[in-house]
Amino acid sequence: MEQFDVVILGAGAAGLFCAGSALGQGRRVLVLDHAATPAEKIRISGGGRCNFTNMATGPDRFLSQNRRFCASALSRYSPADFVTLVDRAGIAWHEKTLGQLFCDGKATQITDMLLDRMKGAELRLRTTVESVQHDSDRFVLATSGGAIRANRVVVATGGKSIPKIGATGFAYDLARQFGLRVTDTRPALVPLTFAEQDLALCKPLAGVSLEVRIDHKEGSFRDALLFTHRGLSGPAILQISSFWQGGESLQIDLCPQADVAAALKRRKQESGKIAVATALTHLLPERLAQAIAAEAGLSKARLADQPNKVLDALGARLNRWTLRPVGTEGYRTAEVTLGGIDTRDLDARTLQARQVPGLHFIGECVDVTGWLGGYNFQWAWASADAAGRAA
């Protein structure tokens, strides 16, 4: 039977990074994955350029039943630490907005860097893990390639998001097998879906994008919104999806830079002969301005002919658009899974199961979910480094 110091389940961002950190401790390391290629989420992330971290990372940018749990790992492996690694690899990068860092080139540069960092460890793809048993002080894994014994097992198999690239609930099943609790899970950073009355506006505007502010009882986010044939998407919607609960309404300010009613009243005094739709184009993308004017029955109406109560109604429609999503697009398009391995059952410094010495859970499968913008990758690096150094 083969023997390794550390066996890591999952060759995604967290798994590959953990291998490099464990290798640095002088351990004999094996990484297993059922997929044919490693790190598919890295490849498709950030529009193919990988939003690999966020310089504003802190515990307040994560959702969890215990929002302070991630603080230990994040403080010991920071965004600056990962940037140093990227710089050493000669990978060019840029800051986009809000602290988000992207590769100038392809996302696969990050994967290549991680594979290079773990040289000396063994990577086996197309290998299925059939069972994991704890035999006295060691683990025995039955795999499609034969039995393996390990001193430590690190579970980095991710959550349920994007099943077409191989995502499963394996980590949750294994956690329950060993007596760990698992919090409720659901898709996060995912487009929301809407009823037909809302789609009547959205569908004709597919492709229109603008900066909005979305208010929710958990907070307010200002970012881009994208109209689609299926409803609404874009960073603002993905961000709020992690907080939204079924049955709740959202309030969207389609023109956060201005009080629309006040702006229209000023324009009415200055140049009242222009059309309402034309006035709105100074505040909104043209197609959206025309759609809003048509919705109000004002497509050909002059601004001067509109009483203030009509302009107030238009302002409320744009600054306080209230709508109720009917659901999400689900794990099929979700970037991450919200919830997961209960942090009460893990040591914050090592990500080790409190009641099962040598068993660690890292990355997305843990109940630590970052905001949109590189935070989830930083959690992958930090939790992986914590477990790898403890291995």
Side-chain angles (χ1 to χ4, degrees), residues 15-95:
L16 297 182
F17 199 83
C18 185
S21 295
L23 198 67
Q25 306 303 305
R27 304 293 185 256
R28 188 180 180 208
V29 181
L30 170 65
V31 180
L32 300 175
D33 201 302
H34 66 279
T37 56
E40 276 295 278
K41 270 198 174 180
I42 290 179
R43 182 183 65 80
I44 65 175
S45 66
R49 294 188 184 276
C50 188
N51 180 192
F52 55 81
T53 192
N54 194 304
M55 299 306 291
T57 295
D60 63 326
R61 301 302 169 93
F62 293 84
L63 287 76
S64 172
Q65 289 191 356
N66 176 7
R67 293 197 179 186
R68 293 299 305 171
F69 177 84
C70 61
S72 177
L74 292 173
S75 67
R76 287 179 290 121
Y77 195 87
S78 70
D81 292 324
F82 194 79
V83 170
T84 297
L85 199 64
V86 171
D87 287 341
R88 286 176 181 167
I91 299 173
W93 55 272
H94 62 279
E95 182 175 346

Side-chain angles (χ1 to χ4, degrees), residues 9 182 186 202 232 354:
L9 308 183
V182 178
R186 61 183 176 87
C202 296
L232 300 174
R354 294 185 184 279

Side-chain angles (χ1 to χ4, degrees), residues 92-388:
W93 55 272
H94 62 279
E95 182 175 346
K96 194 172 182 181
T97 56
L98 306 173
Q100 302 171 59
L101 305 189
F102 289 78
C103 297
D104 287 355
K106 294 182 178 180
T108 50
Q109 292 176 291
I110 298 296
T111 301
D112 292 341
M113 178 190 76
L114 298 180
L115 291 171
D116 184 69
R117 182 173 177 265
M118 60 170 279
K119 279 183 178 177
E122 189 170 344
L123 172 61
R124 295 181 190 173
L125 302 172
R126 296 189 177 90
T127 302
T128 303
V129 177
E130 297 161 354
S131 69
V132 179
Q133 302 297 325
H134 197 205
D135 179 14
S136 63
D137 62 341
R138 294 184 181 180
F139 296 87
V140 176
L141 295 83
T143 79
S144 57
I148 299 168
R149 190 183 295 275
N151 296 332
R152 291 181 179 270
V153 171
V154 181
V155 183
T157 53
K160 300 177 182 177
S161 59
I162 319 185
K164 70 179 181 181
I165 62 172
T168 70
F170 177 88
Y172 311 135
D173 295 336
L174 190 62
R176 294 187 183 99
Q177 174 192 324
F178 283 98
L180 280 72
R181 291 166 286 191
V182 178
T183 69
D184 290 341
T185 60
R186 61 183 176 87
L189 303 184
V190 61
L192 300 173
T193 55
F194 299 87
E196 284 302 318
Q197 65 267 26
D198 296 316
L199 291 177
L201 173 68
C202 296
K203 286 180 178 179
L205 294 172
V208 172
S209 178
L210 73 163
E211 184 176 291
V212 304
R213 187 183 71 242
I214 301 185
D215 293 318
H216 184 270
K217 62 184 180 181
E218 292 289 340
S220 178
F221 296 95
R222 185 165 174 168
D223 213 325
L225 175 146
L226 175 68
F227 287 91
T228 76
H229 291 290
R230 296 188 296 274
L232 300 174
S233 187
I237 291 294
L238 299 184
Q239 192 75 274
I240 208 68
S241 72
S242 295
F243 298 89
W244 177 80
Q245 300 280 348
E248 293 180 342
S249 294
L250 297 177
Q251 188 173 97
I252 303 178
D253 186 346
L254 293 169
C255 189
Q257 74 277 12
D259 179 326
V260 173
L264 291 176
K265 290 173 186 177
R266 285 195 300 271
R267 182 55 65 95
K268 178 181 174 180
Q269 296 298 321
E270 297 166 359
S271 50
K273 292 183 179 181
I274 66 170
V276 172
T278 301
L280 287 174
T281 61
H282 292 279
L283 301 169
L284 303 167
E286 183 176 0
R287 286 171 58 196
L288 178 59
Q290 292 172 346
I292 294 296
E295 181 187 69
L298 301 171
S299 290
K300 298 181 179 180
R302 295 193 319 163
L303 191 57
D305 298 331
Q306 307 312 310
N308 283 346
K309 66 178 182 179
V310 171
L311 302 184
D312 287 336
L314 273 176
R317 173 69 176 83
L318 290 166
N319 288 133
R320 296 183 298 280
W321 181 25
T322 301
L323 69 170
R324 181 174 293 175
V326 296
T328 76
E329 290 189 3
Y331 289 116
R332 179 181 63 85
T333 58
E335 294 193 13
V336 292
T337 302
L338 186 72
I341 313 302
D342 197 319
T343 58
R344 291 176 296 177
D345 294 333
L346 300 176
D347 181 275
R349 286 190 61 83
T350 64
L351 282 298
Q352 180 176 239
R354 294 185 184 279
Q355 302 303 318
V356 190
L359 180 63
H360 304 250
F361 292 86
I362 62 174
E364 185 185 343
C365 68
V366 179
D367 176 28
V368 174
T369 306
W371 290 9
L372 183 72
Y375 297 107
N376 287 293
F377 273 130
Q378 186 58 38
W379 169 244
W381 318 137
S383 61
D385 191 62

